[in-house]
Amino acid sequence: MHRRQFIGALAGLGAAGLTHAYEPGRILLAQAQPTVRRSPDVIFVPTPNEVVDKMLEMAKVTAKDVVYDLGCGDGRIVITAAQKYGARAVGIDIDPKRIAEANANAKAAKVTNKVKFVEGDLFEADIREATVVTLYLLTRLNEKLKPKLLKDLRPGTRVVSHAFDMGDWQPERKESVAASTVYLWRIPKAS
Ligand SMILES: C[S@@+](CC[C@H](N)C(=O)[O-])C[C@H]1O[C@@H](n2cnc3c(N)ncnc32)[C@H](O)[C@@H]1O
């Protein structure tokens, strides 16, 4: 195969969403990779800044914490955790537009050394290093997420949710701020 044909073949495979491996003289098709992205489970609505402050205050965030915002939107919770408390923080969002916005906002806030934004599905993300998890989803999604939180997070990890509870999991604290409610839970010791 001529060099130009070979490069053309690789471009074609990439466009078709196929992975490939090259062996001298042969292209091996490895596996078909679906390129279709899943749509968000809930649309982007930002948490008002005073509610962000309340969430981080209720979780008692310090510089020793690793804060994960699951469905991070424009990154405001993650950025505030880094800026105001010196925490390391990670945001996960399924929408690439939100990840681009969050990265731009982190750059403007000069906290890129403390934060990371990852494009992906929060239900599949590796969240095991989190010591604080923040949520602004829906009760139905919080309930769906609960088994993962209990399985992946260490005992004592704080979970705070803006506006939505966790079904029958009773919060340790519940506070009102700016016409919103913030809930706090703590991951229990495994029984
Ligand atoms: C209501 S907004 C909250 C944004 C941010 N946490 C805040 O409080 O300002 C929910 C966000 O979750 C994202 N999202 C929805 N479903 C998701 C999923 N399965 N995995 C990751 N992100 C998701 C949306 O793209 C959206 O940005």
Side-chain angles (χ1 to χ4, degrees):
M1 189 186 276
H2 291 299
R3 186 179 140 73
R4 197 185 291 173
Q5 282 174 309
F6 174 63
I7 291 168
L10 286 187
L13 290 171
L18 298 170
T19 57
H20 53 265
Y22 177 67
E23 267 187 7
R26 287 175 68 201
I27 294 169
L28 303 175
L29 293 185
Q31 193 187 347
Q33 297 266 323
T35 50
V36 179
R37 285 197 179 100
R38 198 160 89 60
S39 50
D41 291 298
V42 58
I43 59 159
F44 173 53
V45 180
T47 293
N49 289 331
E50 54 189 319
V51 181
V52 172
D53 288 338
K54 185 58 142 184
M55 292 169 84
L56 298 175
E57 181 199 309
M58 279 174 70
K60 294 192 165 65
V61 172
T62 73
K64 290 185 181 157
D65 280 309
V66 183
V67 178
Y68 269 59
D69 187 22
L70 305 185
C72 65
D74 64 5
R76 58 184 57 205
I77 295 178
V78 165
I79 290 168
T80 306
Q83 218 171 24
K84 203 166 167 184
Y85 297 95
R88 193 157 68 74
V90 178
I92 294 161
D93 207 290
I94 205 161
D95 186 340
K97 271 190 270 165
R98 300 282 91 85
I99 294 297
E101 261 171 33
N103 277 318
N105 291 339
K107 203 170 167 192
K110 296 186 171 44
V111 291
T112 51
N113 59 331
K114 289 263 176 200
V115 307
K116 186 167 83 171
F117 294 102
V118 179
E119 182 188 329
D121 186 342
L122 65 92
F123 290 102
E124 289 166 15
D126 183 350
I127 60 169
R128 290 172 297 175
E129 67 163 350
T131 59
V132 173
V133 168
T134 59
L135 307 169
Y136 182 23
L137 299 170
L138 292 170
T139 295
R140 163 176 73 75
L141 296 173
N142 287 353
E143 285 179 309
K144 185 178 165 193
L145 189 61
K146 184 180 160 191
K148 177 176 172 66
L149 299 176
L150 293 172
K151 179 167 83 65
D152 288 359
L153 300 175
R154 285 164 291 191
T157 301
R158 294 89 84 202
V159 179
V160 277
S161 171
H162 171 198
F164 299 101
D165 66 20
M166 198 80 73
D168 60 8
W169 188 8
Q170 290 306 307
E172 183 178 308
R173 267 176 81 190
K174 176 178 165 184
E175 291 202 17
S176 300
V177 56
S180 285
T181 305
V182 178
Y183 301 86
L184 167 78
W185 299 264
R186 201 174 294 267
I187 301 296
K189 286 199 185 97
S191 51

